[in-house]
Amino acid sequence: MSNVHRSITHVMVLLRQPADGRVLTVRHQPRSWHSPGLLTVVGGRLEADEFFDAGAARELEEVM
């Protein structure tokens, strides 16, 4: 059995523009192993011993 941490907890970041209600979305790469081309909000799995706020900030930084 692998010692790799497998988080079952995900975080999602919903950023909404107050002026017009638009929401920041990202598109999965066409060659993504899951959901190729899917338009979605920023998010992903938490890493080992990561708290929700840190995980959300990391996921947002990864797309910026």
Side-chain angles (χ1 to χ4, degrees):
M1 184 161 180
S2 173
N3 287 334
V4 175
H5 174 75
R6 301 298 259 188
S7 173
I8 59 170
T9 304
H10 287 73
V11 292
M12 297 178 84
V13 180
L14 188 63
L15 294 178
R16 187 177 70 79
Q17 180 71 280
D20 59 12
R22 290 184 299 164
V23 174
L24 174 67
T25 57
V26 295
R27 187 173 304 278
H28 286 257
Q29 293 292 323
R31 293 184 299 268
S32 173
W33 67 273
H34 68 86
S35 309
L38 178 73
L39 192 62
T40 186
V41 296
V42 176
R45 288 189 176 122
L46 289 178
E47 294 181 356
D49 300 322
E50 190 172 46
F51 288 100
F52 291 113
D53 56 348
R58 177 185 48 75
E59 290 292 340
L60 186 57
E61 187 175 308
E62 288 177 3
V63 298
M64 298 310 241

